[in-house]
mmCIF file with all atom_site columns, all heavy atoms in Angstrom:
data_model
loop_
_atom_site.group_PDB
_atom_site.id
_atom_site.type_symbol
_atom_site.label_atom_id
_atom_site.label_alt_id
_atom_site.label_comp_id
_atom_site.label_asym_id
_atom_site.label_entity_id
_atom_site.label_seq_id
_atom_site.pdbx_PDB_ins_code
_atom_site.Cartn_x
_atom_site.Cartn_y
_atom_site.Cartn_z
_atom_site.occupancy
_atom_site.B_iso_or_equiv
_atom_site.pdbx_formal_charge
_atom_site.auth_seq_id
_atom_site.auth_comp_id
_atom_site.auth_asym_id
_atom_site.auth_atom_id
_atom_site.pdbx_PDB_model_num
ATOM 1   N N   . GLY Z 1 2  ? 66.481 178.086 174.955 1.00 0.00 ? 276 GLY Z N   1
ATOM 2   C CA  . GLY Z 1 2  ? 67.674 177.259 174.986 1.00 0.00 ? 276 GLY Z CA  1
ATOM 3   C C   . GLY Z 1 2  ? 67.508 175.907 174.335 1.00 0.00 ? 276 GLY Z C   1
ATOM 4   O O   . GLY Z 1 2  ? 68.434 175.376 173.752 1.00 0.00 ? 276 GLY Z O   1
ATOM 5   N N   . GLY Z 1 3  ? 66.312 175.313 174.388 1.00 0.00 ? 277 GLY Z N   1
ATOM 6   C CA  . GLY Z 1 3  ? 66.116 173.989 173.822 1.00 0.00 ? 277 GLY Z CA  1
ATOM 7   C C   . GLY Z 1 3  ? 65.539 173.997 172.422 1.00 0.00 ? 277 GLY Z C   1
ATOM 8   O O   . GLY Z 1 3  ? 65.147 172.966 171.910 1.00 0.00 ? 277 GLY Z O   1
ATOM 9   N N   . ALA Z 1 4  ? 65.485 175.156 171.789 1.00 0.00 ? 278 ALA Z N   1
ATOM 10  C CA  . ALA Z 1 4  ? 64.888 175.257 170.458 1.00 0.00 ? 278 ALA Z CA  1
ATOM 11  C C   . ALA Z 1 4  ? 65.738 174.517 169.434 1.00 0.00 ? 278 ALA Z C   1
ATOM 12  O O   . ALA Z 1 4  ? 66.950 174.582 169.455 1.00 0.00 ? 278 ALA Z O   1
ATOM 13  C CB  . ALA Z 1 4  ? 64.734 176.710 170.058 1.00 0.00 ? 278 ALA Z CB  1
ATOM 14  N N   . PHE Z 1 5  ? 65.067 173.792 168.523 1.00 0.00 ? 279 PHE Z N   1
ATOM 15  C CA  . PHE Z 1 5  ? 65.801 173.075 167.495 1.00 0.00 ? 279 PHE Z CA  1
ATOM 16  C C   . PHE Z 1 5  ? 66.047 173.961 166.287 1.00 0.00 ? 279 PHE Z C   1
ATOM 17  O O   . PHE Z 1 5  ? 66.914 173.707 165.497 1.00 0.00 ? 279 PHE Z O   1
ATOM 18  C CB  . PHE Z 1 5  ? 65.066 171.792 167.092 1.00 0.00 ? 279 PHE Z CB  1
ATOM 19  C CG  . PHE Z 1 5  ? 63.699 172.017 166.514 1.00 0.00 ? 279 PHE Z CG  1
ATOM 20  C CD1 . PHE Z 1 5  ? 63.522 172.098 165.150 1.00 0.00 ? 279 PHE Z CD1 1
ATOM 21  C CD2 . PHE Z 1 5  ? 62.591 172.142 167.333 1.00 0.00 ? 279 PHE Z CD2 1
ATOM 22  C CE1 . PHE Z 1 5  ? 62.273 172.300 164.613 1.00 0.00 ? 279 PHE Z CE1 1
ATOM 23  C CE2 . PHE Z 1 5  ? 61.333 172.334 166.812 1.00 0.00 ? 279 PHE Z CE2 1
ATOM 24  C CZ  . PHE Z 1 5  ? 61.176 172.421 165.442 1.00 0.00 ? 279 PHE Z CZ  1
ATOM 25  N N   . LEU Z 1 6  ? 65.294 175.008 166.140 1.00 0.00 ? 280 LEU Z N   1
ATOM 26  C CA  . LEU Z 1 6  ? 65.421 175.990 165.061 1.00 0.00 ? 280 LEU Z CA  1
ATOM 27  C C   . LEU Z 1 6  ? 65.054 177.354 165.592 1.00 0.00 ? 280 LEU Z C   1
ATOM 28  O O   . LEU Z 1 6  ? 64.381 177.476 166.607 1.00 0.00 ? 280 LEU Z O   1
ATOM 29  C CB  . LEU Z 1 6  ? 64.416 175.697 163.932 1.00 0.00 ? 280 LEU Z CB  1
ATOM 30  C CG  . LEU Z 1 6  ? 64.637 174.558 162.995 1.00 0.00 ? 280 LEU Z CG  1
ATOM 31  C CD1 . LEU Z 1 6  ? 63.462 174.453 162.030 1.00 0.00 ? 280 LEU Z CD1 1
ATOM 32  C CD2 . LEU Z 1 6  ? 65.889 174.727 162.192 1.00 0.00 ? 280 LEU Z CD2 1
ATOM 33  N N   . ALA Z 1 7  ? 65.439 178.365 164.877 1.00 0.00 ? 281 ALA Z N   1
ATOM 34  C CA  . ALA Z 1 7  ? 64.989 179.706 165.254 1.00 0.00 ? 281 ALA Z CA  1
ATOM 35  C C   . ALA Z 1 7  ? 63.497 179.857 164.955 1.00 0.00 ? 281 ALA Z C   1
ATOM 36  O O   . ALA Z 1 7  ? 62.829 180.671 165.559 1.00 0.00 ? 281 ALA Z O   1
ATOM 37  C CB  . ALA Z 1 7  ? 65.793 180.748 164.499 1.00 0.00 ? 281 ALA Z CB  1
ATOM 38  N N   . ARG Z 1 8  ? 62.991 179.058 164.015 1.00 0.00 ? 282 ARG Z N   1
ATOM 39  C CA  . ARG Z 1 8  ? 61.587 179.147 163.626 1.00 0.00 ? 282 ARG Z CA  1
ATOM 40  C C   . ARG Z 1 8  ? 60.937 177.784 163.788 1.00 0.00 ? 282 ARG Z C   1
ATOM 41  O O   . ARG Z 1 8  ? 61.227 176.859 163.037 1.00 0.00 ? 282 ARG Z O   1
ATOM 42  C CB  . ARG Z 1 8  ? 61.505 179.601 162.169 1.00 0.00 ? 282 ARG Z CB  1
ATOM 43  C CG  . ARG Z 1 8  ? 60.087 179.713 161.677 1.00 0.00 ? 282 ARG Z CG  1
ATOM 44  C CD  . ARG Z 1 8  ? 60.061 180.091 160.221 1.00 0.00 ? 282 ARG Z CD  1
ATOM 45  N NE  . ARG Z 1 8  ? 60.253 178.887 159.430 1.00 0.00 ? 282 ARG Z NE  1
ATOM 46  C CZ  . ARG Z 1 8  ? 60.562 178.884 158.154 1.00 0.00 ? 282 ARG Z CZ  1
ATOM 47  N NH1 . ARG Z 1 8  ? 60.768 179.998 157.519 1.00 0.00 ? 282 ARG Z NH1 1
ATOM 48  N NH2 . ARG Z 1 8  ? 60.699 177.750 157.514 1.00 0.00 ? 282 ARG Z NH2 1
ATOM 49  N N   . ALA Z 1 9  ? 60.069 177.650 164.762 1.00 0.00 ? 283 ALA Z N   1
ATOM 50  C CA  . ALA Z 1 9  ? 59.308 176.405 164.923 1.00 0.00 ? 283 ALA Z CA  1
ATOM 51  C C   . ALA Z 1 9  ? 58.230 176.386 163.849 1.00 0.00 ? 283 ALA Z C   1
ATOM 52  O O   . ALA Z 1 9  ? 57.405 177.280 163.776 1.00 0.00 ? 283 ALA Z O   1
ATOM 53  C CB  . ALA Z 1 9  ? 58.696 176.337 166.309 1.00 0.00 ? 283 ALA Z CB  1
ATOM 54  N N   . ASP Z 1 10 ? 58.252 175.379 162.979 1.00 0.00 ? 284 ASP Z N   1
ATOM 55  C CA  . ASP Z 1 10 ? 57.295 175.327 161.875 1.00 0.00 ? 284 ASP Z CA  1
ATOM 56  C C   . ASP Z 1 10 ? 56.550 173.998 161.834 1.00 0.00 ? 284 ASP Z C   1
ATOM 57  O O   . ASP Z 1 10 ? 56.266 173.461 160.788 1.00 0.00 ? 284 ASP Z O   1
ATOM 58  C CB  . ASP Z 1 10 ? 57.985 175.598 160.541 1.00 0.00 ? 284 ASP Z CB  1
ATOM 59  C CG  . ASP Z 1 10 ? 59.104 174.612 160.259 1.00 0.00 ? 284 ASP Z CG  1
ATOM 60  O OD1 . ASP Z 1 10 ? 59.384 173.769 161.130 1.00 0.00 ? 284 ASP Z OD1 1
ATOM 61  O OD2 . ASP Z 1 10 ? 59.696 174.697 159.175 1.00 0.00 ? 284 ASP Z OD2 1
ATOM 62  N N   . ASP Z 1 11 ? 56.262 173.470 163.024 1.00 0.00 ? 285 ASP Z N   1
ATOM 63  C CA  . ASP Z 1 11 ? 55.469 172.252 163.121 1.00 0.00 ? 285 ASP Z CA  1
ATOM 64  C C   . ASP Z 1 11 ? 54.458 172.446 164.241 1.00 0.00 ? 285 ASP Z C   1
ATOM 65  O O   . ASP Z 1 11 ? 54.274 173.549 164.735 1.00 0.00 ? 285 ASP Z O   1
ATOM 66  C CB  . ASP Z 1 11 ? 56.353 171.020 163.333 1.00 0.00 ? 285 ASP Z CB  1
ATOM 67  C CG  . ASP Z 1 11 ? 57.169 171.084 164.617 1.00 0.00 ? 285 ASP Z CG  1
ATOM 68  O OD1 . ASP Z 1 11 ? 57.051 172.090 165.348 1.00 0.00 ? 285 ASP Z OD1 1
ATOM 69  O OD2 . ASP Z 1 11 ? 57.915 170.130 164.897 1.00 0.00 ? 285 ASP Z OD2 1
ATOM 70  N N   . ALA Z 1 12 ? 53.778 171.382 164.630 1.00 0.00 ? 286 ALA Z N   1
ATOM 71  C CA  . ALA Z 1 12 ? 52.706 171.507 165.622 1.00 0.00 ? 286 ALA Z CA  1
ATOM 72  C C   . ALA Z 1 12 ? 53.211 171.992 166.985 1.00 0.00 ? 286 ALA Z C   1
ATOM 73  O O   . ALA Z 1 12 ? 52.449 172.537 167.765 1.00 0.00 ? 286 ALA Z O   1
ATOM 74  C CB  . ALA Z 1 12 ? 51.971 170.178 165.778 1.00 0.00 ? 286 ALA Z CB  1
ATOM 75  N N   . THR Z 1 13 ? 54.502 171.821 167.284 1.00 0.00 ? 287 THR Z N   1
ATOM 76  C CA  . THR Z 1 13 ? 55.032 172.313 168.566 1.00 0.00 ? 287 THR Z CA  1
ATOM 77  C C   . THR Z 1 13 ? 55.079 173.834 168.606 1.00 0.00 ? 287 THR Z C   1
ATOM 78  O O   . THR Z 1 13 ? 55.272 174.414 169.671 1.00 0.00 ? 287 THR Z O   1
ATOM 79  C CB  . THR Z 1 13 ? 56.436 171.759 168.843 1.00 0.00 ? 287 THR Z CB  1
ATOM 80  O OG1 . THR Z 1 13 ? 57.328 172.183 167.817 1.00 0.00 ? 287 THR Z OG1 1
ATOM 81  C CG2 . THR Z 1 13 ? 56.427 170.247 168.950 1.00 0.00 ? 287 THR Z CG2 1
ATOM 82  N N   . ALA Z 1 14 ? 54.900 174.488 167.483 1.00 0.00 ? 288 ALA Z N   1
ATOM 83  C CA  . ALA Z 1 14 ? 54.892 175.950 167.454 1.00 0.00 ? 288 ALA Z CA  1
ATOM 84  C C   . ALA Z 1 14 ? 53.772 176.517 168.335 1.00 0.00 ? 288 ALA Z C   1
ATOM 85  O O   . ALA Z 1 14 ? 53.879 177.644 168.804 1.00 0.00 ? 288 ALA Z O   1
ATOM 86  C CB  . ALA Z 1 14 ? 54.720 176.456 166.022 1.00 0.00 ? 288 ALA Z CB  1
ATOM 87  N N   . ALA Z 1 15 ? 52.740 175.736 168.577 1.00 0.00 ? 289 ALA Z N   1
ATOM 88  C CA  . ALA Z 1 15 ? 51.655 176.203 169.441 1.00 0.00 ? 289 ALA Z CA  1
ATOM 89  C C   . ALA Z 1 15 ? 52.166 176.565 170.825 1.00 0.00 ? 289 ALA Z C   1
ATOM 90  O O   . ALA Z 1 15 ? 51.611 177.428 171.500 1.00 0.00 ? 289 ALA Z O   1
ATOM 91  C CB  . ALA Z 1 15 ? 50.574 175.131 169.555 1.00 0.00 ? 289 ALA Z CB  1
ATOM 92  N N   . SER Z 1 16 ? 53.247 175.936 171.251 1.00 0.00 ? 290 SER Z N   1
ATOM 93  C CA  . SER Z 1 16 ? 53.828 176.223 172.560 1.00 0.00 ? 290 SER Z CA  1
ATOM 94  C C   . SER Z 1 16 ? 55.059 177.110 172.464 1.00 0.00 ? 290 SER Z C   1
ATOM 95  O O   . SER Z 1 16 ? 55.198 178.069 173.203 1.00 0.00 ? 290 SER Z O   1
ATOM 96  C CB  . SER Z 1 16 ? 54.206 174.912 173.252 1.00 0.00 ? 290 SER Z CB  1
ATOM 97  O OG  . SER Z 1 16 ? 54.894 175.162 174.452 1.00 0.00 ? 290 SER Z OG  1
ATOM 98  N N   . TRP Z 1 17 ? 55.979 176.793 171.553 1.00 0.00 ? 291 TRP Z N   1
ATOM 99  C CA  . TRP Z 1 17 ? 57.276 177.472 171.508 1.00 0.00 ? 291 TRP Z CA  1
ATOM 100 C C   . TRP Z 1 17 ? 57.223 178.817 170.803 1.00 0.00 ? 291 TRP Z C   1
ATOM 101 O O   . TRP Z 1 17 ? 57.878 179.760 171.232 1.00 0.00 ? 291 TRP Z O   1
ATOM 102 C CB  . TRP Z 1 17 ? 58.306 176.580 170.815 1.00 0.00 ? 291 TRP Z CB  1
ATOM 103 C CG  . TRP Z 1 17 ? 58.569 175.347 171.590 1.00 0.00 ? 291 TRP Z CG  1
ATOM 104 C CD1 . TRP Z 1 17 ? 58.124 174.089 171.293 1.00 0.00 ? 291 TRP Z CD1 1
ATOM 105 C CD2 . TRP Z 1 17 ? 59.305 175.237 172.800 1.00 0.00 ? 291 TRP Z CD2 1
ATOM 106 N NE1 . TRP Z 1 17 ? 58.543 173.210 172.248 1.00 0.00 ? 291 TRP Z NE1 1
ATOM 107 C CE2 . TRP Z 1 17 ? 59.282 173.890 173.190 1.00 0.00 ? 291 TRP Z CE2 1
ATOM 108 C CE3 . TRP Z 1 17 ? 59.989 176.146 173.594 1.00 0.00 ? 291 TRP Z CE3 1
ATOM 109 C CZ2 . TRP Z 1 17 ? 59.914 173.431 174.327 1.00 0.00 ? 291 TRP Z CZ2 1
ATOM 110 C CZ3 . TRP Z 1 17 ? 60.622 175.685 174.723 1.00 0.00 ? 291 TRP Z CZ3 1
ATOM 111 C CH2 . TRP Z 1 17 ? 60.582 174.347 175.075 1.00 0.00 ? 291 TRP Z CH2 1
ATOM 112 N N   . ASN Z 1 18 ? 56.507 178.903 169.696 1.00 0.00 ? 292 ASN Z N   1
ATOM 113 C CA  . ASN Z 1 18 ? 56.462 180.139 168.920 1.00 0.00 ? 292 ASN Z CA  1
ATOM 114 C C   . ASN Z 1 18 ? 55.184 180.151 168.094 1.00 0.00 ? 292 ASN Z C   1
ATOM 115 O O   . ASN Z 1 18 ? 55.173 179.705 166.948 1.00 0.00 ? 292 ASN Z O   1
ATOM 116 C CB  . ASN Z 1 18 ? 57.690 180.230 168.005 1.00 0.00 ? 292 ASN Z CB  1
ATOM 117 C CG  . ASN Z 1 18 ? 57.701 181.494 167.188 1.00 0.00 ? 292 ASN Z CG  1
ATOM 118 O OD1 . ASN Z 1 18 ? 56.914 182.403 167.407 1.00 0.00 ? 292 ASN Z OD1 1
ATOM 119 N ND2 . ASN Z 1 18 ? 58.592 181.555 166.221 1.00 0.00 ? 292 ASN Z ND2 1
ATOM 120 N N   . PRO Z 1 19 ? 54.086 180.670 168.635 1.00 0.00 ? 293 PRO Z N   1
ATOM 121 C CA  . PRO Z 1 19 ? 52.805 180.628 167.921 1.00 0.00 ? 293 PRO Z CA  1
ATOM 122 C C   . PRO Z 1 19 ? 52.846 181.260 166.527 1.00 0.00 ? 293 PRO Z C   1
ATOM 123 O O   . PRO Z 1 19 ? 52.085 180.878 165.660 1.00 0.00 ? 293 PRO Z O   1
ATOM 124 C CB  . PRO Z 1 19 ? 51.861 181.393 168.849 1.00 0.00 ? 293 PRO Z CB  1
ATOM 125 C CG  . PRO Z 1 19 ? 52.467 181.243 170.202 1.00 0.00 ? 293 PRO Z CG  1
ATOM 126 C CD  . PRO Z 1 19 ? 53.953 181.236 169.972 1.00 0.00 ? 293 PRO Z CD  1
ATOM 127 N N   . ALA Z 1 20 ? 53.755 182.201 166.282 1.00 0.00 ? 294 ALA Z N   1
ATOM 128 C CA  . ALA Z 1 20 ? 53.864 182.796 164.947 1.00 0.00 ? 294 ALA Z CA  1
ATOM 129 C C   . ALA Z 1 20 ? 54.277 181.745 163.920 1.00 0.00 ? 294 ALA Z C   1
ATOM 130 O O   . ALA Z 1 20 ? 53.962 181.878 162.739 1.00 0.00 ? 294 ALA Z O   1
ATOM 131 C CB  . ALA Z 1 20 ? 54.862 183.944 164.969 1.00 0.00 ? 294 ALA Z CB  1
ATOM 132 N N   . GLY Z 1 21 ? 54.955 180.694 164.355 1.00 0.00 ? 295 GLY Z N   1
ATOM 133 C CA  . GLY Z 1 21 ? 55.362 179.631 163.446 1.00 0.00 ? 295 GLY Z CA  1
ATOM 134 C C   . GLY Z 1 21 ? 54.200 178.837 162.892 1.00 0.00 ? 295 GLY Z C   1
ATOM 135 O O   . GLY Z 1 21 ? 54.349 178.126 161.897 1.00 0.00 ? 295 GLY Z O   1
ATOM 136 N N   . LEU Z 1 22 ? 53.031 178.926 163.498 1.00 0.00 ? 296 LEU Z N   1
ATOM 137 C CA  . LEU Z 1 22 ? 51.855 178.214 162.991 1.00 0.00 ? 296 LEU Z CA  1
ATOM 138 C C   . LEU Z 1 22 ? 51.477 178.686 161.595 1.00 0.00 ? 296 LEU Z C   1
ATOM 139 O O   . LEU Z 1 22 ? 50.853 177.963 160.837 1.00 0.00 ? 296 LEU Z O   1
ATOM 140 C CB  . LEU Z 1 22 ? 50.674 178.381 163.945 1.00 0.00 ? 296 LEU Z CB  1
ATOM 141 C CG  . LEU Z 1 22 ? 50.840 177.708 165.305 1.00 0.00 ? 296 LEU Z CG  1
ATOM 142 C CD1 . LEU Z 1 22 ? 49.686 178.104 166.221 1.00 0.00 ? 296 LEU Z CD1 1
ATOM 143 C CD2 . LEU Z 1 22 ? 50.915 176.209 165.163 1.00 0.00 ? 296 LEU Z CD2 1
#
Side-chain angles (χ1 to χ4, degrees):
F279 61 95
L280 286 177
R282 180 183 82 195
D284 58 356
D285 61 0
T287 61
S290 174
W291 295 105
N292 180 10
L296 293 172

